[in-house]
Amino acid sequence: MDFIFLQLAGFGAAFVALVVDPLTYAYLIISVFLGITFGALPGLTATLAVTILTGFFGNKIPLDYSLIALLGAYVGAIYGGSYPSILLNIPGTAASAATAMDGHPLAKAGRGGEALGLTTTASFIGTLIGTVALLIFVWVLLLLSQNIASPEKALLALFGILLSGTLMSEDLVIKGWISGLIGLAMAMVGLDPLLSEPRYTFGWSYMLSGFQVVPVLMGAFAVPQIIDGLRHMNVGQMVALQGRILPNLAAVRRYMPTISRSGVIGTGVGALPGVGEDVAGWVSYGVGKTVSKEGDKFGKGSLEGLLSSETANNACIGGALIPLLVLGIPGSPPAAALMGAFKINNVIPGPTIDPEIILRVVAIMVLASFTMFVLGLFTAKFFIKILRIPQTVFLPIVMVLTAIGSFSVGGGINDLYLMLGVGFVAYFMNMMKYPIAPLVIGVILGGLFDETFRRSLFLSDGSLGLFVSRPGAAVLLALNIALIAAQIPMLKRGFARLRGKEV
Amino acid sequence: MNSPTEQEILRARDFWGAIVLFFLSVFFLWRTSFIPLFGQNRAGVSGADWYNSAALVPFGIFGALLVLSLVLMNISIKAGGARLALTRVGIGWNRSEALRFSTLALILFFYIVGLVPRVDFIIGSGLLITGLIYGYHGGRSDRMILVTLIVAIAGLYALAAHLPRSEWKAHDDDWVALVLWFGLTLWVLATNRQDRVARAIPIIAILAPTLLVLAMAFGFRQNVPNRSGLLFSQIEYHYFVNIKPLWSR
């Protein structure tokens, strides 16, 4: 009980410290506003918003303000994606794809204002549910993770890469794994962490420091988005907004069970490494359709369907921060970008993280969700006007932002070359349906995997038995093997036969 | 002939992807063999044991990539990817898609490699913004080719005239880019008087990079590209000599 009071007191102190600082509001309002704008413009995503701001703020402002800006943009962008989904039937972000299913029919039926008001409320409640889960579970997991040593860390890093590769693949699962392995291979460039042996530098001194996180993030997430956005023009017919954008409290009360369930689903999906808000939205939508008494109305303008996806994608944010803060494994692509920001500020997420930072993250999330709610309700008409700006006007500015951001954090032209190279590779990988998030997670976790794996072998004098003699390591090893085995066709057929299913 | 399904296109491309991955993983396995694995001596100092070698994890990664490339090739061949690999399906895009991508790739290449290191950031970025909005808003191929040529001329001049780092401070490439930017802007305004987007281009192209570079350099005290650029050097000089002393006294 004392522990709970201690954490609540810590959270209260962090919250008050933020609330009394006027700069908090300046960063919050600007970043949430920018986030909603990025989310509202089809072609710009939450990951892009967080990545660009990471490059823009870098490590030159205090970490607290940097976190306010990045988390504010993250929360705002996931919510902002609902605007074009509802009014244009084009998801602003992948996370809002399910929202379009019911949001657009509602707008066409003259209920666009009501839909936007409910979406704002559901996103607000969803973010708070995810944040409360973050506050509770992060401590439970942190206490458990105190026993994590090098063997477990190595296997966890591998598990994070494999799981994100498995879950993020749109086409073949091995494409996700290949993407993760390419990321791991990129992390091997430079001086190795134990013996300082140069690897794959090809005599280029710049490569001795390895691939920097920010240029890789910019290249992997921003450059393909810019090229793709300029190549394909998303043109949609906007539905005129009818009705007042106010939260329909009667509907909120009526659908509270849906909102609560979707919040829990979103948080749970977010906690899976690398999965993200789009999967959360669809999973919650699917569950909602299955369990609802009015499931047949889903896709035809159902408020329940709208609330299912919108609550879950925002709840996913808090969930995605749990593995990031506890294990150092990002729960979603924007969380991977956030991890880049932590790294350039010399904060290592994982079991050794300063607990104060977690409390500040929770306090920022609460403030960001309130800011999003207020901005969403009172400035919605402005964001609707933004929707009329074509992406061919915005994307060139994003390109300039990307260039200056990547240069400023690394401080060198070489980082720009790296960004461009990674960008073109990521573009072709995207085109061939290789997921990009596992690559970024591989780059981020590669150093940790290499160092902890070899350190484990060093401690055991080369005996691999260490990975099975420690209970935690044995469980993680089994999970890794099960994850791979589950994709082998012969074993898949065997499991199906065991379950009595024909293949 | 029926048009190919998305899956057929993907499998044909997977065939090429698997070949590239195969050769890359073999190449990097060979390069990894240069890193001591079994504790060889290096410059008279005894190396580490095999289990601590810097080559251990890379061998695992590239070995796994090699295996996965073979699995991918197998999947692709079974699904008819090899059969379609040399057809239009496997090789890729239609003419207009290829034009869009290649012009964009060239513009980004000349901007990042030619202009950003050597030309004033405001001028180079203004030219880029003007070119990208004019070239790609509306999807007309003649515009794309025109702006690619203009950005390529500016970038090529900067690269050819001032390739080494020691020459990046020169200003003649700044003037070339500025003249090209000015000329393109005039062309855009003269040929598209009725278009609201075209009328907004000069404002966006001047304001966006200027505000960005000022915010980065003086607001967040970040490093910005080409501090000695034609415009930025003047802005920086007047900021420190005339403006900053007003509140520093």
Side-chain angles (χ1 to χ4, degrees), chain A residues 353-367:
Chain A
I353 195 170
D354 177 5
E356 295 263 317
I357 291 176
I358 298 174
L359 292 171
R360 289 207 288 271
V361 166
V362 173
I364 291 167
M365 287 285 290
V366 172
L367 284 173

Side-chain angles (χ1 to χ4, degrees), chain A residues 27 57-67 69 345, chain B residues 219-220 222:
Chain A
Y27 278 103
F57 292 121
N59 49 4
K60 299 285 166 41
I61 60 169
L63 178 67
D64 276 4
Y65 295 135
S66 196
L67 285 177
N345 280 287
Chain B
F220 296 108
Q222 300 263 39

